Amino acid sequence: PLTGHLRLLESEAIYVLREVAAQFERPCLLFSGGKDSIVCAHLARKAFAPGRIPFPLLHIDTGHNFPETLAFRDKLMKRLGVRLLVRSVQDSIDAGRVQEEPDGDPSRNRLQTVTLLDALTELRIDAAVGGARRDEEKARAKERFFSHRDAFGQWNPKNQRPELWNLFNGRKHNDEHFRVFPISNWTELDIWQYIAEQEIDLPSLYFAHEREVVNRDGILLAVGAYVRPRRGETVSRERVRFRTIGDTTCTGAFRSSASDLTEIIEEVATARITERGDRADDRRSEAAMEDRKRQGYF
C-alpha cells in the first residue's frame, strides 16, 4: 500500500479524474504511450474500479513513433479493456490541413496540434485529460489543473481561473473545452517511485539498452526509419535509455546503465538535467513550449 506523499498525490489525481467524469459530458484521456500517460491510465482505472474507465483514450499518431511505443500501447489497451481512438498526422497532411516541414528529418511535433484540435472538434470532446506535470517545463509550471481553452483551442496563461480549495470550475461555452492535468503536482521522481510501488509495466525504451545513435546538436537521436545520419555525422552504438518518449525525430536518448526501476530512481534522484532537456522540439526557442501551448498543443 502507498504511504506518505505518494498516497496524497494519488488521492489528488483520482479526485481530479472523478471531477472530470462528473462535470463533463464527453471527456477523453490523451494517450502518448509515455510513462506519464501510462500512469494516468492506471490512475483512471483505480478511480473508477471496479467499473471500466468511463471515457475513451485518444492517441494522436504522428507517424514517427517508436515501434516499441505502439506495440506497448496496443497491449495496454487490451489489458484495460478501453476504447482507443487514433487520429493521424499523416491524414492531416494528406488533407492539406498541415504541411510537412522542409527539412531532411522533419519533426511532426508541431503539426500534431492541428490533428489534435480537429479530433477534439470531430469527437465533440469537452475535456481532454493529459499527463503533463508542472516540473517538466516552465510553461507547464503555471498551468492550472483545469486549463480552459477558447473556441480556437488556444490557452491564455494570463487569464486562468482560480482553484481555491481544489474547487474546479468547468463551465464553458459550447465550442470551448478544457485540458485537465491530474498529475500536475507530481515530479519525475514521484512518477518513478509510484511506478515501482504499483508495479506498472512500461515500454522497454525507458530501460538501458544498446542502440545506434547520432549526436546532433548535442542530442543523441536514435537512428531509424525517420532519422538518418547527415553528412559529417557518425553513427555509434551506445548504451542508452529514454527519460521521455516522443517522436523519434526529436526525442534524445541519455547514456545510461540503469536497467531496472531501482537503478532508474537512483539515477533520476541525482540528475541535473530535466527529462525534457534532450527534446529538440523544446530547443527551438526559449519559449517553445508556451508558444505551442498557446496554439493548442498538449
Side-chain angles (χ1 to χ4, degrees), residues 25-63:
E25 294 181 2
R26 298 178 65 89
C28 75
L29 172 59
L30 298 173
F31 187 82
S32 67
K35 65 183 183 305
D36 296 321
S37 62
I38 292 170
V39 166
C40 281
H42 177 84
L43 288 165
R45 183 185 62 80
K46 293 189 75 171
F48 302 105
R52 292 188 177 183
I53 299 173
F55 39 74
L57 274 63
L58 173 62
H59 180 217
I60 303 301
D61 185 0
T62 63

Side-chain angles (χ1 to χ4, degrees), residues 3-11 186-187 189-190 193 197:
T3 58
H5 75 290
L6 287 181
R7 183 177 181 181
L8 294 175
L9 288 172
E10 182 191 67
S11 297
W186 298 47
T187 65
L189 187 58
D190 293 332
Q193 290 174 335
E197 291 205 23

Side-chain angles (χ1 to χ4, degrees), residues 199-266:
E199 299 180 345
I200 300 173
D201 288 336
L202 291 176
S204 59
L205 294 166
Y206 281 112
F207 303 92
H209 58 283
E210 298 281 335
R211 185 178 288 267
E212 289 188 341
V213 297
V214 294
N215 190 325
R216 183 168 299 164
D217 300 324
I219 299 176
L220 295 179
L221 293 178
V223 175
Y226 306 107
V227 177
R228 307 304 304 171
R230 296 173 179 172
R231 181 178 297 178
E233 291 182 338
T234 303
V235 177
S236 61
R237 192 164 186 84
E238 304 265 6
R239 186 162 180 80
V240 299
R241 75 176 192 87
F242 295 87
R243 288 173 66 188
T244 176
I245 294 178
D247 284 1
T248 60
T249 54
C250 64
T251 304
F254 287 81
R255 293 184 180 90
S256 173
S257 60
S259 57
D260 60 36
L261 291 175
T262 300
E263 292 176 348
I264 288 175
I265 289 171
E266 291 175 357

Side-chain angles (χ1 to χ4, degrees), residues 138-158:
K138 53 184 175 293
R140 288 178 166 170
K142 57 189 177 185
E143 192 161 15
R144 303 286 194 259
F145 280 98
F146 274 39
S147 183
H148 177 260
R149 294 296 193 275
D150 65 18
F152 301 98
Q154 296 175 334
W155 174 56
N156 182 357
K158 295 182 179 180

Side-chain angles (χ1 to χ4, degrees), residues 46-271:
K46 293 189 75 171
F48 302 105
R52 292 188 177 183
I53 299 173
F55 39 74
L57 274 63
L58 173 62
H59 180 217
I60 303 301
D61 185 0
T62 63
H64 289 174
N65 297 287
F66 287 95
E68 296 93 332
T69 304
L70 297 180
F72 182 88
R73 177 200 69 184
D74 295 340
K75 183 177 72 172
L76 180 63
M77 294 306 108
K78 288 182 180 179
R79 190 164 77 241
L80 291 177
V82 296
R83 186 161 60 108
L84 174 67
L85 305 172
V86 180
R87 294 298 180 269
S88 168
V89 172
Q90 186 61 53
D91 290 342
S92 298
I93 294 172
D94 294 342
R97 294 283 294 146
V98 292
Q99 187 173 359
E100 192 92 80
E101 292 181 353
D103 188 13
D105 296 310
S107 171
R108 292 184 173 180
N109 190 274
R110 180 180 57 84
L111 306 186
Q112 65 183 326
T113 297
V114 174
T115 308
L116 170 64
L117 294 176
D118 287 349
L120 297 181
T121 300
E122 171 204 347
L123 300 168
R124 295 186 291 120
I125 299 296
D126 53 4
V129 179
R133 307 191 322 272
R134 287 175 177 146
D135 77 318
E136 288 182 283
E137 206 276 339
K138 53 184 175 293
R140 288 178 166 170
K142 57 189 177 185
E143 192 161 15
R144 303 286 194 259
F145 280 98
F146 274 39
S147 183
H148 177 260
R149 294 296 193 275
D150 65 18
F152 301 98
Q154 296 175 334
W155 174 56
N156 182 357
K158 295 182 179 180
N159 185 24
Q160 301 190 74
R161 301 178 182 185
E163 294 179 342
L164 304 175
W165 309 291
N166 280 349
L167 296 176
F168 302 118
N169 180 1
R171 292 185 179 181
K172 62 176 190 57
H173 296 296
N174 287 335
D175 53 356
E176 299 172 345
H177 72 278
F178 277 81
R179 307 289 173 84
V180 181
F181 305 108
I183 60 171
S184 286
N185 287 334
W186 298 47
T187 65
E188 182 186 8
L189 187 58
D190 293 332
I191 290 289
W192 282 112
Q193 290 174 335
Y194 186 75
I195 287 169
E197 291 205 23
Q198 297 287 291
E199 299 180 345
I200 300 173
D201 288 336
L202 291 176
S204 59
L205 294 166
Y206 281 112
F207 303 92
H209 58 283
E210 298 281 335
R211 185 178 288 267
E212 289 188 341
V213 297
V214 294
N215 190 325
R216 183 168 299 164
D217 300 324
I219 299 176
L220 295 179
L221 293 178
V223 175
Y226 306 107
V227 177
R228 307 304 304 171
R230 296 173 179 172
R231 181 178 297 178
E233 291 182 338
T234 303
V235 177
S236 61
R237 192 164 186 84
E238 304 265 6
R239 186 162 180 80
V240 299
R241 75 176 192 87
F242 295 87
R243 288 173 66 188
T244 176
I245 294 178
D247 284 1
T248 60
T249 54
C250 64
T251 304
F254 287 81
R255 293 184 180 90
S256 173
S257 60
S259 57
D260 60 36
L261 291 175
T262 300
E263 292 176 348
I264 288 175
I265 289 171
E266 291 175 357
E267 182 182 86
V268 170
T270 58

